[in-house]
Amino acid sequence: MRPAELAAIRAGDVDVAFRRWERPRVRVGTRMRTAVGLVEVTSVDRVPVRSLTAADARRAGAASLAALRHGLDRVHPERPVYRIGLRYAGVDPRHALREAVPDAAEIDTIVGWLDRLDRASPTGPWTRATLLLIDELPATRAPDLAQRMGRDTPSFKQNVRKLKERGLTESLDIGYRLSARGAAVLDHEGHPRSARGRPAPEPGIPLPHLGAAATRALTAYGVVRLEQVAGLSEAEVQALHGVGPYALGRLRTAMDTAGLTFRGDRGAPPQTS
């Protein structure tokens, strides 16, 4: 699902999706982890294309019934259409998990699980090296990290997903970072961590997930916190190459929640910092 579609599901503006499948690919009750949190499947029904209505199009976030039908006919028009009911089911539980510092018993369990992953790996131990590399190079592109590990990108990402499932790492718009839980495990085992010598992160509210292009644009402009966004006009942010409607909407929502607003002057283009 596209970022804008996910945002609309979270807001309650979209509660169905239509797909052409040979057979259903999800089940009722399935909870999918997405960039906005958990999305639950509430129904899966095969429907004739001719039965679709303008109301169906609105519920799916399509511009019109014609647009919905056109989208369905673009790929595999010979396949049947399924209507999938969807609802936002809350935040991803891994968010809370990665911030929870484990006690000694939990650390022993995690260490045992990491050891099993290492023993089962046909390429040798990788778990601690991956955690240490992410700690050393946060917000670094996965292909660059994979190259440092001597791994191909798909297998490297698959390994990182295993660590993320246990709350040891967190995915960013660009790359990853070590969670408090992951740091506790490395500290417990006495691994030398270069992050210990780094200055404390700048205080403030981090940017929400905006997509890699928008995050790169803002970071290159020296903006990494919402408070810095509030020092810019909406026109200045929108003028940055890579910041589209989705990213701008995410920024507005996050700033509203934090009680922040864009700077009043909306006419000036971005100035070189």
Side-chain angles (χ1 to χ4, degrees):
M1 287 181 282
R2 298 183 300 275
E5 188 177 6
L6 290 172
I9 292 170
R10 180 173 183 175
D13 297 328
V14 166
D15 64 358
V16 297
F18 292 90
R19 299 289 186 270
R20 282 194 182 273
W21 292 334
E22 289 286 357
R23 61 185 62 85
R25 297 183 184 177
V26 293
R27 297 179 179 179
V28 175
T30 298
R31 289 192 167 192
M32 300 174 287
R33 289 170 174 156
T34 74
V36 300
L38 297 178
V39 173
E40 183 178 352
V41 176
T42 58
S43 62
V44 181
D45 300 296
R46 181 171 172 173
V47 295
V49 175
R50 64 179 179 274
S51 72
L52 301 182
T53 66
D56 289 324
R58 287 193 298 272
R59 291 176 62 191
S64 65
L65 178 57
L68 174 61
R69 287 179 171 172
H70 176 71
L72 289 170
D73 290 342
R74 289 178 60 189
V75 181
H76 299 299
E78 76 284 357
R79 293 180 179 178
V81 173
Y82 287 88
R83 178 173 55 212
I84 305 100
L86 302 168
R87 76 174 187 92
Y88 177 66
V91 298
D92 189 331
R94 292 174 299 182
H95 293 184
L97 181 64
R98 66 188 179 217
E99 298 302 325
V101 178
D103 58 23
E106 287 180 293
I107 288 180
D108 288 342
T109 299
I110 295 170
V111 167
W113 175 73
L114 294 174
D115 289 341
R116 289 193 295 274
L117 288 180
D118 284 339
R119 288 194 297 268
S121 172
T123 58
W126 60 270
T127 58
R128 276 65 165 195
T130 302
L131 289 170
L132 286 166
L133 183 62
I134 290 172
D135 189 38
E136 178 187 357
L137 299 172
T140 300
R141 296 172 61 248
D144 297 334
L145 295 176
Q147 185 177 31
R148 290 280 294 262
M149 291 281 293
R151 303 291 303 275
D152 62 274
T153 301
S155 65
F156 176 79
K157 285 185 172 182
Q158 184 179 30
N159 282 344
V160 175
R161 282 195 293 269
K162 294 175 183 178
L163 301 174
K164 185 179 176 182
E165 285 297 312
R166 292 296 182 102
L168 303 179
T169 64
E170 176 185 356
S171 291
L172 305 174
D173 285 330
I174 302 171
Y176 316 93
R177 67 180 167 211
L178 195 69
S179 69
R181 194 174 187 82
V185 171
L186 292 181
D187 289 343
H188 173 79
E189 293 191 321
H191 293 283
R193 293 175 51 220
S194 58
R196 287 177 178 163
R198 294 184 193 146
E202 183 179 344
I205 304 171
L207 298 176
H209 285 286
L210 305 172
T215 299
R216 278 194 295 267
L218 287 164
T219 301
Y221 198 57
V223 176
V224 295
R225 303 282 171 180
L226 277 182
E227 290 85 354
Q228 294 170 307
V229 177
L232 302 172
S233 71
E234 186 171 343
E236 286 178 312
V237 174
Q238 193 170 17
L240 294 172
H241 181 68
V243 178
Y246 170 75
L248 199 61
R250 294 279 290 168
L251 285 172
R252 288 195 202 100
T253 300
M255 291 174 73
D256 286 345
T257 301
L260 299 171
T261 60
F262 289 105
R263 183 167 55 80
D265 179 12
R266 298 175 181 271
Q271 302 296 316
T272 303
S273 59

